[in-house]
Amino acid sequence: MQEYMGGRVIITKGDITTFQVDAIVNAANKSLLGGGGVDGAIHRAAGPQLLEECRTLGGCETGQAKITKGYRLPARHVIHTVGPVWHGGDRNEDALLADCYRNSLALALEHGLKSVAFPSISTGAYGFPINRAAPIALRTVKEFLEANPQIEKVYFVCFSEGDLRVYLEKAGEIFAS
């Protein structure tokens, strides 16, 4: 585990469904009705009420975010965001990925939440290269936190050792400046 910005940003390896924070972020699909990877894990851990609430939200567009209760999760809320599918980088993927982080944090701020845990959005089944995604995520969160001191802690929860190494390497560059 590594901390940055005076402990406001924490990068760690773990299972995001076990984090006791105000909100965990779900790398969802547009339907918000569950899927594979982190999305499926969050839905399984939260229980069937999460799916019931998600059915009332009318889906979500890429780069946008919506919030639900956390139900059986230790987190009070789930912020669902839809990351971009990687198409080689020429379909606005970078900006859409940054929007996922920015809009998720804006929703947390709007709901008075102080701690948020993110997975590595779009780097699994959606194929976004981790070496490109991590610096976008880190820079976007750094800029948001600099402008919004109300958010006290942001966790980047990496599922694999490989992702953790990339996040730590990129964070060393981004938070040093």
Side-chain angles (χ1 to χ4, degrees):
M1 183 170 1
Q2 188 69 40
E3 296 185 9
Y4 301 91
M5 293 184 76
R8 289 180 70 202
V9 174
I10 298 168
I11 300 171
T12 189
K13 181 178 178 277
D15 176 353
I16 199 166
T17 66
T18 66
F19 274 67
Q20 193 160 356
V21 290
D22 291 337
I24 60 172
V25 176
N26 181 15
N29 59 48
K30 287 185 177 186
S31 76
L32 301 183
L33 302 181
V38 73
D39 189 13
I42 288 171
H43 273 268
R44 282 189 299 279
Q49 300 94 335
L50 179 61
L51 179 59
E52 288 173 28
E53 185 175 356
C54 284
R55 283 192 172 117
T56 70
L57 298 179
C60 186
E61 291 303 313
T62 303
Q64 299 305 306
K66 295 193 177 180
I67 192 168
T68 62
K69 293 177 187 167
Y71 298 101
R72 295 192 317 218
L73 293 162
R76 292 187 2 235
H77 299 278
V78 178
I79 295 174
H80 308 266
T81 189
V82 180
V85 174
W86 181 254
H87 292 287
D90 58 356
R91 295 192 189 172
N92 208 27
E93 291 102 314
D94 290 359
L96 288 167
L97 184 62
D99 284 346
C100 288
Y101 289 93
R102 193 177 303 107
N103 288 328
S104 294
L105 288 170
L107 201 52
L109 192 63
E110 181 183 320
H111 285 83
L113 309 182
K114 305 266 185 222
S115 58
V116 179
F118 282 99
S120 185
I121 298 167
S122 284
T123 61
Y126 284 10
F128 207 113
I130 185 74
N131 286 318
R132 187 164 172 157
I136 292 168
L138 292 161
R139 270 192 214 97
T140 304
V141 167
K142 179 184 180 202
E143 289 167 6
F144 192 93
L145 292 179
E146 286 171 347
N148 298 282
Q150 305 92 315
I151 304 277
E152 295 172 1
K153 284 215 184 296
V154 172
Y155 295 85
F156 286 98
V157 183
C158 300
F159 185 70
S160 72
E161 280 296 327
D163 286 358
L164 178 64
R165 279 194 298 276
V166 171
Y167 266 84
L168 290 172
E169 175 191 327
K170 302 299 182 185
E173 298 165 10
I174 290 165
F175 290 101
S177 56

